[in-house]
């Protein structure tokens, strides 16, 4: 099973009329994602991926985001079948922070967040010791409007940030994520870690370089320090790979910020970020980060049956507000 001839990687490919999959870019997204468009009906994506895995892996390594469109993906079973082929080892959603439902082994709903709010771009689980290297999204039902999964090349985000900002995080040892569990906002610590026993969670934290303090029954605080910049595990390219802006209170909508301030101090917030030495991050640094993500954002409308593969280190993702019903599944590996 072959591809269309693809002579210019920066322009849409021209099909020779014989191949069953055309390789191109979307008109409004000339650099990513790279799109594989099925030209015949009922083409099984799992079988096709297996036959073309070497090329797909090479393209994912080069571009960071691939979109399969027009393949036979009509159900959760079809998506799981593809993921079983494309992902060598599925990752569990441990240290999770947002509500999602595990549907089958390794298959989850995308974040179940209010549809009128945007989810800012982030690299999945950037704060864990071993983040997933690849994400696979599958759209079963697109939103009536909105609901795009925006994607951002974080190597380019890094290039947009000032040397002073980058050097400041390096000099202070990186960044720190502080989470408070048991305050009635956000997941419980058992839900976040997927473990029922607090001693089991403590043992996990010891291995994962997380400081955990039990303040009282059901009230726990964790702190973990991580580097703000990571080298891509394959290419060595520097990446702005973190949740610094994502979880800083200044990124919340004003009404939520006001609500939190009315009932607790910043140290009690369910999530907060600092320099690794515990000092506050300047507001202009956070504004600069958000502006860099916005400048590199790419988005497209989902179509039913779409599958998107992301290099989780290189490409961040988020979600735009939407209307209507929307069902997008995700697997991590």
């Amino acid at each position: 099973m072959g591809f269309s001839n693809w002579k210019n990687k920066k322009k849409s490919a021209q099909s020779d009329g014989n191949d069953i999959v055309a390789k191109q870019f979307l008109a409004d997204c000339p650099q990513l994602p790279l799109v594989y468009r099925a030209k015949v009906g009922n083409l099984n994506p799992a079988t096709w991926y297996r036959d073309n895995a070497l090329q797909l892996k090479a393209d994912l390594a080069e571009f960071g985001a691939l979109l399969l469109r027009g393949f036979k993906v009509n159900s959760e079973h079809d998506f799981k079948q593809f993921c079983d082929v494309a992902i060598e080892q599925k990752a569990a959603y441990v240290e999770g922070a947002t509500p999602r439902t595990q549907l089958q082994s390794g298959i989850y709903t995308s974040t179940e967040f209010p549809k009128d709010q945007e989810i800012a771009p982030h690299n999945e689980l950037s704060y864990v010791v071993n983040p997933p290297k690849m994400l696979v999204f599958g759209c079963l039902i697109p939103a009536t409007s909105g609901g795009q999964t925006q994607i951002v090349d974080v190597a380019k985000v890094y290039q947009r940030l000032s040397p002073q900002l980058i050097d400041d995080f390096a000099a202070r040892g990186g960044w720190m994520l502080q989470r408070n569990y048991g305050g009635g906002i956000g997941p419980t610590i058992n839900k976040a870690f997927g473990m029922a026993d607090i001693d089991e969670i403590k043992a996990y934290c010891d291995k994962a370089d997380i400081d955990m303090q039990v303040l009282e029954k059901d009230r726990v605080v964790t702190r973990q320090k991580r580097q703000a910049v990571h080298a891509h595990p394959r290419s060595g390219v520097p990446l702005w790979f973190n949740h610094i802006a994502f979880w800083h209170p200044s990124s919340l909508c004003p009404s939520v910020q006001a609500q939190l301030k009315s009932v607790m101090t910043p140290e009690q917030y369910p999530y907060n970020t600092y320099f690794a030495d515990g000092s506050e991050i300047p507001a202009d640094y956070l504004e600069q980060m958000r502006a860099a993500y916005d400048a590199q954002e790419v988005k497209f409308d989902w179509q039913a049956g779409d599958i998107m593969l992301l290099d989780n280190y290189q490409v961040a993702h988020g979600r735009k507000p939407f209307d209507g019903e929307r069902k997008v599944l995700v697997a991590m590996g």
Side-chain angles (χ1 to χ4, degrees):
M1 296 182 182
F3 297 111
S4 296
N5 184 31
W6 194 41
K7 296 180 179 179
N8 187 339
K9 292 183 179 180
K10 295 302 180 185
K11 297 181 180 180
S12 295
Q14 298 298 315
S15 168
D16 60 12
N18 296 318
D19 294 324
I20 61 173
V21 175
K23 191 174 180 181
Q24 56 192 180
F25 286 101
L26 297 172
D28 296 333
C29 307
Q31 295 184 326
L32 72 144
L34 176 61
V35 183
Y36 305 87
R37 190 185 298 273
K39 297 166 59 183
V40 297
N42 294 321
L43 184 58
N44 185 302
T47 302
W48 182 82
Y49 182 95
R50 185 184 295 111
D51 292 341
N52 296 279
L54 290 179
Q55 183 63 58
L56 284 157
K57 289 178 181 179
D59 286 342
L60 183 62
E62 180 175 357
F63 295 99
L66 309 179
L67 178 66
L68 278 61
R69 176 161 283 180
F71 290 80
K72 181 181 177 294
V73 184
N74 298 322
S75 66
E76 179 185 331
H77 172 78
D78 292 341
F79 178 67
K80 181 180 184 301
Q81 185 182 53
F82 176 84
C83 292
D84 287 345
V85 173
I87 299 177
E88 295 177 5
Q89 181 178 354
K90 291 188 179 71
Y93 189 55
V94 181
E95 295 187 53
T98 54
R100 65 177 75 233
T101 302
Q102 184 169 359
L103 302 175
Q104 295 188 34
S105 177
I107 304 296
Y108 297 84
T109 61
S110 57
T111 300
E112 296 163 357
F113 204 61
K115 63 170 66 177
D116 63 336
Q117 298 182 33
E118 179 171 351
I119 301 174
H122 58 285
N123 300 85
E124 196 66 40
L125 297 173
S126 73
Y127 47 90
V128 306
V129 174
N130 292 304
K133 291 183 173 61
M134 183 171 73
L135 306 179
V136 183
F137 293 88
C139 178
L140 299 184
I141 304 174
T144 304
S145 64
Q148 301 92 345
T149 297
Q150 73 269 38
I151 54 178
V152 178
D153 186 330
V154 294
K156 294 180 179 178
V157 171
Y158 171 86
Q159 294 167 7
R160 285 183 171 272
L161 298 174
S162 69
Q164 178 184 355
L165 182 155
I166 292 170
D167 291 346
D168 213 356
F169 274 96
R172 295 169 184 259
W175 69 290
M176 180 173 69
L177 169 62
Q178 178 173 291
R179 299 179 65 175
N180 282 281
Y181 301 92
I185 302 176
T188 66
I189 193 165
N190 304 97
K191 174 71 173 178
F193 286 83
M195 303 172 190
D197 186 82
I198 195 70
D199 290 331
E200 184 182 5
I201 297 172
K202 181 65 168 65
Y204 173 91
C205 288
D206 289 342
K207 293 180 180 179
D209 194 23
I210 300 173
D211 176 64
M212 172 181 162
Q213 292 180 283
V214 179
L215 304 179
E216 56 187 72
K217 180 175 171 47
D218 298 327
R219 294 291 298 255
V220 179
V221 60
T222 62
R223 299 179 183 89
Q224 53 213 93
K225 300 176 182 180
R226 302 290 185 255
Q227 292 301 312
V229 177
H230 289 241
H232 193 282
R234 176 188 53 80
S235 66
V237 170
L239 308 169
W240 189 248
F241 186 81
N242 55 69
H243 271 67
I244 296 170
F246 184 88
W247 269 335
H248 194 273
S250 64
S251 294
L252 295 168
C253 66
S255 62
V256 175
Q257 290 187 50
Q259 183 180 7
L260 287 176
K261 288 180 180 179
S262 70
V263 296
M264 60 184 66
T265 66
E267 292 74 24
Q268 297 172 321
Y269 286 1
Y271 316 103
N272 210 332
T273 58
Y274 305 87
F275 283 114
D277 62 9
S279 57
E280 296 285 342
I281 301 169
D284 62 310
Y285 279 10
L286 293 154
E287 292 170 3
Q288 188 181 153
M289 293 176 214
R290 287 189 284 263
Y293 282 112
D294 288 345
Q296 294 301 143
E297 179 180 286
V298 173
K299 65 178 182 178
F300 60 90
D301 291 328
W302 283 111
Q303 294 182 10
D306 280 353
I307 292 176
M308 182 167 64
L309 293 82
L310 294 185
D311 176 336
N312 184 47
Y313 277 85
Q314 183 176 337
V315 179
H317 67 280
R319 191 210 69 192
K320 293 297 185 182
F322 67 95
D323 294 315
E325 186 179 359
R326 178 185 188 270
K327 187 173 185 179
V328 176
L329 307 180
V330 63
M332 296 169 267

